[in-house]
Amino acid sequence: MKLYFEADGLFKLFGRMIELVYVTPEKEYRLNGRMDIPYNDIIAYKDAISSGLTSFHPTTAGEGGSMSTRITQYSFGYKNIIQDGDVAFNFKALCKVPAGDSIYMNFRLVSNKAFDGKFQIRVNGMIAREFYAPLEPGIGGELNWVVQ
């Protein structure tokens, strides 16, 4: 299973290219797939849980018991500022790989201007999903999309 993103911010998941676009009636703002913007503020982490049984006795503090740890989810992606003329988007895209559940993506978008637009997810150049996503200056919008 190959899951990664390219230097231009395009995600490649299971051999499919994921493009992200904010569309207004006047213009399309490409949020990834741009070589003029460095996608180098990389985010990568693991979620994990630990559980265990410990025996506590004042004379044997720190002795005994057992702990188990397991990773529950891997996350990778980036955050960036997408500048297009006088418009700036703070954008974060993460691919989430939970143990035993569906892979999904988390997107967060904040604009410096008000827009009445749509957030599009394009898979291999075709619109896979489109969400009505009005934006107000400085107020973030966030969504999760299950990769299908």
Side-chain angles (χ1 to χ4, degrees):
M1 175 164 58
K2 291 185 179 182
L3 307 168
Y4 60 97
F5 64 89
E6 297 282 357
D8 63 358
L10 288 173
F11 282 87
K12 301 287 179 76
L13 308 177
F14 309 110
R16 295 180 291 172
M17 180 177 64
I18 310 296
E19 293 176 90
L20 307 163
V21 182
Y22 189 76
V23 180
T24 68
E26 298 80 31
K27 187 173 183 175
E28 285 190 0
Y29 296 94
R30 294 181 61 206
L31 302 173
N32 66 354
R34 296 177 54 172
M35 290 304 293
D36 61 323
I37 297 172
Y39 293 83
N40 57 5
D41 196 349
I42 296 170
I43 302 168
Y45 61 93
K46 299 176 239 181
D47 294 335
I49 59 170
S50 291
S51 61
L53 300 171
T54 59
S55 60
F56 179 76
H57 188 276
T59 61
T60 60
E63 296 178 18
S66 65
M67 293 290 287
S68 67
T69 302
R70 69 182 173 92
I71 295 171
T72 58
Q73 178 170 264
Y74 294 92
S75 299
F76 68 94
Y78 53 84
K79 63 180 180 169
N80 208 342
I81 297 174
I82 311 297
Q83 192 76 37
D84 193 326
D86 63 342
V87 175
F89 293 103
N90 288 331
F91 179 60
K92 181 173 74 170
L94 292 173
C95 181
K96 308 273 198 163
V97 185
D101 208 349
S102 298
I103 294 172
Y104 67 99
M105 296 196 72
N106 171 264
F107 307 109
R108 181 166 171 75
L109 187 63
V110 181
S111 174
N112 67 336
K113 294 185 177 260
F115 288 108
D116 189 32
K118 298 175 183 177
F119 184 81
Q120 287 183 351
I121 301 169
R122 298 178 183 175
V123 177
N124 292 335
M126 304 291 290
I127 298 171
R129 288 298 306 263
E130 184 174 75
F131 301 91
Y132 176 61
L135 294 174
E136 292 295 325
I139 299 175
E142 191 166 353
L143 76 95
N144 290 328
W145 172 64
V146 176
V147 177
Q148 300 175 5

